[in-house]
Amino acid sequence: MRGMTVLDLIAALQEPLFTLLGTPVSWTEVLGFGSGALCVWLVARQHIANWPIGIANNVFFILLFTQAGLFADAGLQVVFIALAVYGWWTWATGAPRSERLPVRRTTRTEWLVLGACGVLGTAAITVLLATATESTVPFWDALTTALSLMATYGQCRKRLESWWLWIAADVVYIPLYVYKDLYLTAILYCGFLALCVRGLIAWRRDVRAEPAVVAV
């Protein structure tokens, strides 16, 4: 154990742990499943611990998606780590210490910027994956990447509609992961979908309870 390198650890994590529907499931996928479920549950409860748990989840998914040939999703995890640091800081400093950052609605300007970035990002990533990688699903990989980035921005700023973006992403992710034989991850994203609905309901309740304040 003393002589184990990082590469040895990565190889060990990618070893099959059990078989699901005739497909081997690795330690990486199992750990990604557990940390991902915990992260989304903590987000729905507006608990700041979701950010460090989410970073751990991103690391596991980098390994998993690279091995599965979902290169945009793997690269997306690196962006998620950077956004998680930003979100962690925003949640910690965006309100007085005795309070928590309030939930707000997405402004019209934010929607226009997010929509433009989403369309351009999807197109650019699709071209990149189709020409520079061996991806078999360039458009769908690109679309989920764009939706996830848009949703993560909203989550960092505690925008209510970020849950709708996550729901849209999960609806695409689930069949995509089934297609890639990542059955445990597909099951995880079914759970994500349910937690997103729960989070949407909880955050909507908070918005209604808050006095009317213009989002910034």
Side-chain angles (χ1 to χ4, degrees):
M1 192 71 179
R2 183 178 298 174
M4 177 175 283
T5 66
V6 173
L7 291 178
D8 292 333
L9 178 59
I10 292 173
L13 287 172
Q14 292 178 330
E15 286 293 318
L17 180 61
F18 59 87
T19 300
L20 180 65
L21 299 176
T23 302
V25 177
S26 65
W27 275 104
T28 305
E29 191 168 3
V30 171
L31 292 171
F33 180 100
S35 58
L38 178 58
C39 176
V40 176
W41 182 76
L42 288 170
V43 173
R45 294 178 63 84
Q46 299 185 49
H47 197 295
I48 198 169
N50 84 85
W51 296 111
I53 297 297
I55 290 172
N57 177 253
N58 299 146
V59 172
F60 293 132
F61 276 169
I62 287 173
L63 301 177
L64 179 65
F65 294 149
T66 300
Q67 190 177 26
L70 292 168
F71 303 110
D73 274 348
L76 176 62
Q77 304 307 309
V78 178
V79 180
F80 276 168
I81 291 173
L83 287 173
V85 173
Y86 168 69
W88 197 348
W89 175 81
T90 301
W91 282 34
T93 64
R97 289 191 178 183
S98 59
E99 302 175 10
R100 63 185 182 186
L101 183 69
V103 179
R104 299 284 184 244
R105 290 191 176 276
T106 307
T107 65
R108 182 178 300 177
T109 300
E110 284 176 323
W111 271 126
L112 289 173
V113 173
L114 285 172
C117 290
V119 171
L120 292 174
T122 299
I125 296 170
T126 299
V127 172
L128 177 64
L129 292 176
T131 57
T133 74
E134 298 177 356
S135 175
T136 58
V137 285
F139 171 75
W140 298 109
D141 202 359
L143 177 62
T144 51
T145 297
L147 285 170
S148 297
L149 287 173
M150 293 163 66
T152 302
Y153 165 81
Q155 180 181 315
C156 290
R157 302 283 292 170
K158 275 200 176 179
R159 298 303 191 238
L160 173 65
E161 292 77 12
S162 65
W163 290 112
W164 285 113
L165 292 170
W166 277 127
I167 288 168
D170 290 344
V171 167
V172 181
Y173 271 130
I174 293 167
L176 179 61
Y177 292 147
V178 170
Y179 176 75
K180 283 292 185 176
D181 294 333
L182 297 174
Y183 298 113
L184 187 61
T185 303
I187 293 171
L188 171 63
Y189 273 73
C190 289
F192 279 175
L193 186 58
L195 286 171
C196 285
V197 173
R198 178 179 177 182
L200 176 64
I201 294 170
W203 283 28
R204 180 179 291 166
R205 189 182 303 121
D206 277 10
V207 166
R208 289 173 177 170
E210 287 283 340
V213 177
V214 177
V216 295

